[in-house]
Amino acid sequence: MPNSKQSPITMDAVYTAPGYLFRRMQQIAVSIFIEECRQFDLTPVQYAALIAIHTHPGIDATRLSAVIAFDRSTLGNVIERLQSKGLIERKPDSGDKRVKLLTLTKQGASLLREIMPLVDRAQARMLQPLKPSDRKMLLALLAQLVDLNNEASRVPLRAEDALEHLGKLG
Amino acid sequence: MPNSKQSPITMDAVYTAPGYLFRRMQQIAVSIFIEECRQFDLTPVQYAALIAIHTHPGIDATRLSAVIAFDRSTLGNVIERLQSKGLIERKPDSGDKRVKLLTLTKQGASLLREIMPLVDRAQARMLQPLKPSDRKMLLALLAQLVDLNNEASRVPLRAEDALEHLGKLG
DNA sequence: CGCTAATTGACAGCATACTGACAATATGGC
DNA sequence: GCCATATTGTCAGTATGCTGTCAATTAGCG
């Protein structure tokens, strides 16, 4: 048979591309997050940072970046905004003069408790249109793919455990 | 049994959230795209715009925004960059003085032909770590979810067919 | 101890994204 | 034809994201 695949260039080159679907879904996810949490004026990135600082009190910006896999340059601005909102504090490290340690303020901890149910609702809403079994399947495949592609990203995720061992492992 | 579910707040609140996984995967996808296409200095958004302009010669910015589901304000800058690179042209509409019609230049069409194989390779790389059957499953579920959540996004996708009927349908 | 190399936070510059606003222009109902 | 309304492109402002650079500081090695 003749090769009928002479690439006619249709919009399918965009619509069916995984990268395009990931972008669209990310935008939808942010939109739903902001809508559910609008009474608190907190972004998804800021939320992740708050969770990480709560889980690792006294963490520094560089390790925070590794724990949530966000770019270090971007995180500088995020931290500044969280600080100006009074949600976190920055204190100089007693040993290393370069480092500034991050902790939640009472306001930050309080906001975190209040907003978590709303975030949970937002996360549920994103997958709502799918059947429960499909939600589970999609989430499992996605988590797997993100993990397997970890090193392909600009800022690979280095979870807490990995971080603690980094010194020993060199 | 006692309710042991007092929400201890761990990083799982971030790592297992669909929104976080969508964000990570989007970043990974962009990273792979840029790497594969680095010889052309074209972004995923610019690529999608070029495809759409090629498919709809003489489209205006507002309809372009609907066809690829990108924000109109953002698209203004994208169009300007594509124009300054010499990949597209903007000509005033003869009827409506507000409108500027978009078409590919020869350079734009040429670049599109050359870059498409690289984009295909990038798209394949994103899903590479999964088994072929899992790739198909993930893509199908993702396409379904994006479609079902279409109205939840800031800029819902209005594909070509829908667009042509918008006038008639009011 | 002293020098090189690495780390840390910060910054400049570019590219998406979204919100809200605006002037110019079109459109529809009357 | 007029006027309220809608549309189009644009802009300012804010918030991620990435690249590259920088000064200050620290760590490692000879």
Side-chain angles (χ1 to χ4, degrees), chain A residues 28-49:
Chain A
I28 289 167
V30 171
S31 179
I32 291 176
F33 184 105
I34 296 293
E35 192 179 322
E36 288 290 341
C37 303
R38 64 186 173 288
Q39 54 182 299
F40 289 107
D41 188 35
L42 202 75
T43 68
V45 166
Q46 291 167 11
Y47 170 76

Side-chain angles (χ1 to χ4, degrees), chain A residues 9 21 36 40 48-49 63 75 81 101-102 117 134:
Chain A
I9 307 190
L21 293 172
E36 288 290 341
F40 289 107
R63 279 199 281 179
L75 208 50
R81 278 185 281 274
L101 305 179
L102 306 172
D134 282 350

Side-chain angles (χ1 to χ4, degrees), chain A residues 23 27 60-62 72-73 90 98 100:
Chain A
R23 174 182 301 272
Q27 289 175 355
D60 62 280
T62 295
R72 236 183 39 178
S73 296
R90 272 202 278 196
R98 295 169 304 178
K100 298 181 182 178

Side-chain angles (χ1 to χ4, degrees), chain B residues 64-125:
Chain B
L64 178 60
S65 136
V67 162
I68 54 184
F70 288 167
D71 184 81
R72 235 183 39 177
S73 297
T74 306
L75 209 49
N77 302 324
V78 176
I79 287 172
E80 196 180 319
R81 277 186 282 273
L82 288 176
Q83 188 177 22
S84 75
K85 288 185 194 178
L87 302 178
I88 65 173
E89 273 182 351
R90 271 202 278 196
K91 285 172 288 189
D93 185 294
S94 47
D96 192 329
K97 289 179 188 173
R98 297 169 304 178
V99 173
K100 299 182 182 177
L101 305 178
L102 305 171
T103 50
L104 287 195
T105 61
K106 278 181 189 171
Q107 288 177 54
S110 168
L111 184 147
L112 202 49
R113 273 194 305 275
E114 288 185 73
I115 208 176
M116 283 190 73
L118 305 185
V119 172
D120 288 345
R121 188 154 56 207
Q123 302 295 341
R125 255 187 69 192

Side-chain angles (χ1 to χ4, degrees), chain B residues 13-26:
Chain B
V14 171
Y15 295 154
T16 68
Y20 177 76
L21 293 171
F22 289 132
R23 176 181 300 272
R24 284 277 292 142
M25 199 53 225
Q26 210 271 320

Side-chain angles (χ1 to χ4, degrees), chain A residues 22-146:
Chain A
F22 289 133
R23 174 182 301 272
R24 285 277 291 141
M25 198 53 226
Q26 209 271 322
Q27 289 175 355
I28 289 167
V30 171
S31 179
I32 291 176
F33 184 105
I34 296 293
E35 192 179 322
E36 288 290 341
C37 303
R38 64 186 173 288
Q39 54 182 299
F40 289 107
D41 188 35
L42 202 75
T43 68
V45 166
Q46 291 167 11
Y47 170 76
L50 284 187
I51 292 276
I53 295 173
H54 179 276
T55 307
H56 305 284
I59 196 174
D60 62 280
T62 295
R63 279 199 281 179
L64 178 59
S65 139
V67 163
I68 53 183
F70 288 166
D71 184 81
R72 236 183 39 178
S73 296
T74 305
L75 208 50
N77 301 325
V78 176
I79 287 171
E80 196 180 320
R81 278 185 281 274
L82 288 175
Q83 189 178 21
S84 75
K85 288 186 194 179
L87 301 178
I88 65 172
E89 274 182 351
R90 272 202 278 196
K91 286 172 287 191
D93 185 295
S94 49
D96 194 329
K97 289 177 188 172
R98 295 169 304 178
V99 172
K100 298 181 182 178
L101 305 179
L102 306 172
T103 51
L104 287 194
T105 61
K106 280 180 188 171
Q107 289 177 55
S110 168
L111 184 147
L112 201 50
R113 273 193 306 275
E114 290 185 72
I115 207 176
M116 284 190 71
L118 304 186
V119 172
D120 288 345
R121 188 154 56 207
Q123 302 296 341
R125 255 188 69 191
M126 297 170 196
L127 302 180
Q128 189 95 28
L130 293 182
K131 288 186 309 180
S133 61
D134 282 350
R135 291 174 210 162
K136 207 174 294 185
M137 174 74 78
L138 175 60
L139 215 50
L141 289 173
L142 192 59
Q144 197 184 336
L145 186 57
V146 166

